[in-house]
Amino acid sequence: MNAVPNGYTTITPWIIGQNTAGLMDFLARAFGAEDLGRMEVGGRIGHAEMRIGSGVVMMFDAPEGWAPTPAFIRLFMPDAQSAFDAAVRAGAEVVTEPTMLAFGDKVGRVRDPFGNIWWLQQRVEDVSQDEMMRRWSDPQWTRAMDYLQTSLAQSGPKRPDDPR
C-alpha cells in the first residue's frame, strides 16, 4: 500500500479563507484548475479540492472567529508569462512582474482577490553552479533578485530595472 493516495503528492497545501467558492472560481479561470469536489456544511464549504497541473490544493471556509491566513504558493507552469497574464485577467493584483532570475527560472507573483500570493514559476534554463555563481556577481542578476525580494514590501510593483 502506498502512503500517498493516488493522484496526490507528498505535500498538499491548504487554503483557508472566507469565500472558498469564489477562490475555486478564480483558480479555474486563472490556472485551469479542475474541481475535484466540495462538501458544504451549513451553507459554507467545509472541504474542497482542486487539481492544478499535477498537484492538489485543499481549501475550506474558515470557521467564524478564525484570523485570516493567506497562503503563499509556488506554482510551476509551462509558461509563467501566460499564467501571470491569465491570473491578472481573472482578477489578481500584480505583485512582481515575471522576471528572469540567475538560477534559470522566470518568476512572477500575483495576489489573488482573496489575499493569497501565487509564485508563478517556469524553469527556462538549466544553469550550472559555476554560471550561477558568475551571475550573482553581475548587477543585472542581483537587481532582479532584489526586485523579487523587496516587491512584497513595496506599495506597488516596480520593474527590476527601476532604480527606486
Side-chain angles (χ1 to χ4, degrees):
M1 181 164 101
N2 189 349
V4 179
N6 287 335
Y8 292 80
T9 59
T10 56
I11 294 179
T12 303
W14 282 96
I15 302 176
I16 304 165
Q18 297 300 320
N19 184 357
T20 299
L23 174 63
M24 294 175 79
D25 180 56
F26 169 81
L27 296 177
R29 287 183 293 119
F31 308 127
E34 173 191 359
D35 186 339
L36 299 178
R38 60 182 92 187
M39 293 184 300
E40 291 193 28
V41 179
R44 298 173 62 79
I45 294 180
H47 180 86
E49 298 184 15
M50 293 192 87
R51 181 173 308 286
I52 305 173
S54 61
V56 173
V57 178
M58 295 184 182
M59 57 205 81
F60 63 88
D61 289 325
E64 196 170 317
W66 279 31
T69 56
F72 287 60
I73 298 178
R74 178 189 293 185
L75 181 57
F76 280 96
M77 301 296 283
D79 183 340
Q81 183 68 56
S82 292
F84 179 88
D85 294 343
V88 171
R89 282 192 308 274
E93 171 191 337
V94 174
V95 174
T96 309
E97 295 283 343
T99 302
M100 188 66 194
L101 297 176
F103 50 86
D105 288 5
K106 181 184 277 190
V107 179
R109 293 185 294 202
V110 296
R111 179 178 287 109
D112 71 27
F114 310 94
N116 305 298
I117 304 289
W118 295 85
W119 268 256
L120 305 174
Q121 197 152 338
Q122 172 189 359
R123 175 59 44 101
V124 175
E125 63 177 320
D126 292 320
V127 178
S128 71
Q129 191 69 23
D130 288 343
E131 175 61 12
M132 194 179 324
M133 295 312 291
R134 185 198 67 72
R135 288 179 179 187
W136 288 129
S137 65
D138 180 333
Q140 167 197 343
W141 297 106
T142 56
R143 272 193 309 274
M145 182 56 81
D146 181 60
Y147 167 59
L148 257 70
Q149 290 177 334
T150 61
S151 63
L152 285 171
Q154 301 297 325
S155 61
K158 63 178 181 126
R159 295 291 307 164
D161 53 356
D162 184 342
R164 299 190 261 170

